[in-house]
Amino acid sequence: MAQVVAVIASTHHPFYYRASTAVGDERPPFADEWVAKIERFRETLTRARPDVLVMVGSDHFHQLWLDNMPQFLVGKAPVYDANWYNEEREFGLPRLRLEGHEELSSHILRGGLDSGFDLAFSNELRIDHSITCPIITLRPEADLPIVPIYTNIFAPPLPQPKRFVELGRTIRELVEGWPSDQRVAIIGTGHLSLELGGPRQFGPHGPDPDFDRRAVEWIANGDLEGCLGEVTLDSLHLPGNATHGFMDFMLMMGVAGQGVRADHVDSLDLFHTMEAYFTWYPEGAPA
């Protein structure tokens, strides 16, 4: 059966690529520290030696819109184009063409349906920075096939937080039940407190540092019980108007497992947001 060799959760700031490649006067003062943290984070994936990446993210109203908004969607295309024009224009993100893994996509889709998740799928999915930014930070060679899984964190009615956790557990079970000798890393990206277009958008840190502190503790300690006891669809409005992206972190906590402490934990306060990075090794840290 397939091995889950790494479980990884991170934020996906689209400005990292431009900040990390800028030189001279255009290089922001926080770039060197950010790059150093990302390079340490990247090594946690490299050490796991994955063959394929299952990537969990959320479409930012690029391909999915209010005329057809699935709650959970599995990409099952042979290749995926990225990014979108506005991401290239605003953030300088490069165009990418990523190989898909149709066999694993089909396995997750079939198994998810049989496990009680009415998953949507797409054979013509174009992906955005929620998936490409983690590839840029964790695997800039972009040389591994991917299985993209999109969640709805933007367009109400949203799934309940516990449903994200349940899907995370199911994804882990399905990958481990895949009849293959492939080494699989499951990577998901979300937000901590985040405000977009509101009065708390720009500041020296995220709009709710207390929520960010508690969120990092929940994730780092695998405290699903404590997290589910406090986080609701209504409560996520309070730390910032885009904080529902935290449910993708909760999904990854479901993948990692109740009470499982992360092997790598790091964070960085940037303008308007806290960046956070977590890695678990289900079979123990690689040598």
Side-chain angles (χ1 to χ4, degrees):
M1 294 297 179
Q3 291 179 283
V4 176
V5 294
V7 176
I8 294 179
S10 79
T11 46
H12 55 261
H13 203 307
F15 190 58
Y16 174 75
Y17 181 79
R18 177 169 284 171
S20 64
T21 57
V23 297
D25 293 340
E26 295 185 356
R27 191 172 180 83
F30 51 79
D32 290 345
E33 181 183 8
W34 201 0
V35 169
K37 286 177 177 287
I38 288 296
E39 288 179 347
R40 290 193 294 270
F41 185 45
R42 181 181 303 156
E43 179 60 22
T44 69
L45 178 64
T46 302
R47 290 174 62 194
R49 298 181 292 107
D51 300 309
V52 57
L53 307 177
V54 174
M55 306 287 300
V56 178
S58 298
D59 179 74
H60 292 70
F61 291 124
H62 283 118
Q63 181 154 337
L64 305 176
W65 185 239
L66 301 182
D67 58 348
N68 188 1
M69 178 59 68
Q71 301 292 4
F72 302 114
L73 178 146
V74 177
K76 55 189 293 287
V79 293
Y80 300 95
D81 288 319
N83 285 282
W84 293 78
Y85 171 69
N86 70 308
E87 299 171 306
E88 298 172 14
R89 180 192 65 222
E90 297 298 324
F91 308 119
L93 294 180
R95 294 188 179 184
L96 297 172
R97 190 169 175 84
L98 302 167
E99 179 186 355
H101 199 297
E102 293 175 275
E103 180 185 339
L104 182 52
S105 290
S106 295
H107 174 78
I108 291 174
L109 179 61
R110 180 70 264 169
L113 291 170
D114 293 344
S115 298
F117 285 89
D118 294 327
L119 301 174
F121 69 89
S122 173
N123 291 322
E124 297 182 355
L125 185 65
R126 185 174 177 181
I127 57 180
D128 74 355
H129 72 270
S130 70
I131 288 177
T132 59
C133 283
I135 290 174
I136 288 169
T137 56
L138 287 163
R139 192 75 178 194
E141 304 92 333
D143 60 344
L144 296 177
I146 69 167
V147 174
I149 299 176
Y150 269 147
T151 68
N152 174 23
I153 60 169
F154 293 114
L158 305 178
Q160 294 288 342
K162 65 180 181 181
R163 194 63 169 158
F164 281 76
V165 173
E166 291 165 354
L167 179 58
R169 290 170 174 153
T170 299
I171 290 171
R172 169 81 175 266
E173 292 170 359
L174 293 174
V175 171
E176 291 180 332
W178 179 36
S180 169
D181 61 358
Q182 296 283 284
R183 299 171 61 85
V184 182
I186 305 174
I187 301 171
T189 66
H191 309 137
L192 300 182
S193 69
L194 185 64
E195 180 115 339
L196 297 177
R200 295 182 291 170
Q201 176 167 353
F202 295 110
H205 45 62
D208 191 332
D210 183 60
F211 175 85
D212 293 342
R213 177 189 57 78
R214 288 182 292 127
V216 169
E217 290 177 356
W218 288 327
I219 301 167
N221 296 320
D223 186 8
L224 270 169
E225 184 177 346
C227 185
L228 284 169
E230 292 194 39
V231 174
T232 68
L233 290 177
D234 288 338
S235 75
L236 286 172
H237 288 287
L238 302 176
N241 62 17
T243 308
H244 286 83
F246 179 67
M247 292 192 293
D248 280 341
F249 271 119
M250 297 179 71
L251 187 154
M252 295 309 299
M253 293 171 69
V255 176
Q258 166 67 34
V260 180
R261 291 177 175 268
D263 295 290
H264 175 89
V265 179
D266 203 357
S267 61
L268 177 65
D269 268 324
L270 286 179
F271 57 99
H272 80 271
T273 180
M274 175 183 276
E275 298 300 291
Y277 312 105
F278 308 87
T279 300
W280 296 261
Y281 294 118
E283 300 181 357

